[in-house]
């Protein structure tokens, strides 16, 4: 029988923790990094993030290719309903395609920022980008037409008809 003893030092603990973290990260990259289906990978990516000021919100929208007027057209407090009707369920399904989900914010007061979009691919005028925040965390985002028969689509969707572009 062979026995091995060692003195446990702070350095050995640190090296052990770093090694364990590297193994966990490496395994995660190996399992999740080699996706062949990029559409499903995009659908599983959440755009939820903390944006604390107007400059960060504008940069976020521009990061998705939207040219907007940097001053919000509107800022208002909104309340997510306690129970969703069919329209809100449909809207929440749209949010889920972006990795967002409003169900855990039901009944909460939130902040809505509305920006005028200047480069919508449909060419339509009166298009806005809407960002909904709870405590500076983005919980909903959409691009919509102000027309009565207009559209609502994901902020990540830059195609003119609201359908993801084919590559």
């Amino acid at each position: 029988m062979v026995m091995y003893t060692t003195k446990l030092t702070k350095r050995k603990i640190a090296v052990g923790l770093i090694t364990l973290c590297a193994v966990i990260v490496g395994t995660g990259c190996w399992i999740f990094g080699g996706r062949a289906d990029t559409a499903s990978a995009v659908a599983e990516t959440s755009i939820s993030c903390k944006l604390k000021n107007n400059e960060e919100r504008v940069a976020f929208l521009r990061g998705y290719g939207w040219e907007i007027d940097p001053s919000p057209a509107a800022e208002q407090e909104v309340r997510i309903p306690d129970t969703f009707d069919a329209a809100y369920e449909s809207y929440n399904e749209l949010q889920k395609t972006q990795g967002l989900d409003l169900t855990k914010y039901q009944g909460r007061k939130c902040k809505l920022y509305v920006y005028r979009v200047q480069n919508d691919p449909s060419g339509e005028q009166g298009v806005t980008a809407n960002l909904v925040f709870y405590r500076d965390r983005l919980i909903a985002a959409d691009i919509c037409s102000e027309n009565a028969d207009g559209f609502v689509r994901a902020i990540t969707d830059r195609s003119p008809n609201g359908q993801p572009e084919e590559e």
Side-chain angles (χ1 to χ4, degrees):
M1 179 160 124
V2 176
M3 289 183 60
Y4 177 75
T5 61
T6 183
K7 183 177 178 183
L8 194 58
T9 64
K10 289 181 183 180
R11 183 171 185 224
K12 289 179 183 177
I13 291 172
V15 169
L17 288 175
I18 291 171
T19 303
L20 179 63
C21 288
V23 168
I24 291 170
V25 169
T27 303
C29 289
W30 178 67
I31 291 172
F32 299 112
R35 295 189 185 270
D37 185 5
T38 56
S40 66
V42 169
E44 293 172 7
T45 303
S46 176
I47 64 171
S48 180
C49 58
K50 285 219 175 212
L51 302 171
K52 296 181 181 180
N53 56 44
N54 189 56
E55 290 78 25
E56 290 178 0
R57 291 188 296 270
V58 169
F60 171 80
L61 290 167
R62 289 186 174 154
Y64 282 98
W66 300 105
E67 288 302 321
I68 58 160
D69 181 353
S71 299
E75 292 179 39
Q76 62 188 30
E77 191 172 274
V78 295
R79 186 173 180 276
I80 307 298
D82 292 321
T83 56
F84 292 167
D85 60 7
Y88 237 96
E89 284 292 343
S90 176
Y91 183 73
N92 197 39
E93 288 303 316
L94 174 76
Q95 296 310 314
K96 288 178 181 179
T97 66
Q98 304 178 109
L100 303 173
D101 187 358
L102 291 169
T103 54
K104 60 185 169 187
Y105 301 100
Q106 288 177 298
R108 306 268 185 185
K109 289 182 181 177
C110 301
K111 187 81 169 188
L112 168 67
Y113 295 91
V114 179
Y115 294 90
R116 298 227 179 269
V117 174
Q118 300 166 346
N119 69 331
D120 188 71
S122 70
E124 189 173 323
Q125 298 299 311
V127 175
T128 60
N130 304 297
L131 303 176
V132 181
F133 291 87
Y134 180 73
R135 296 184 179 169
D136 294 329
R137 174 152 310 276
L138 181 66
I139 63 168
D142 67 83
I143 301 296
C144 75
S145 167
E146 293 178 340
N147 296 334
D149 62 340
F151 58 83
V152 177
R153 63 178 177 252
I155 203 147
T156 56
D157 181 9
R158 295 268 308 134
S159 63
N161 61 1
Q163 300 299 319
E165 294 181 35
E166 298 294 323
E167 291 186 19

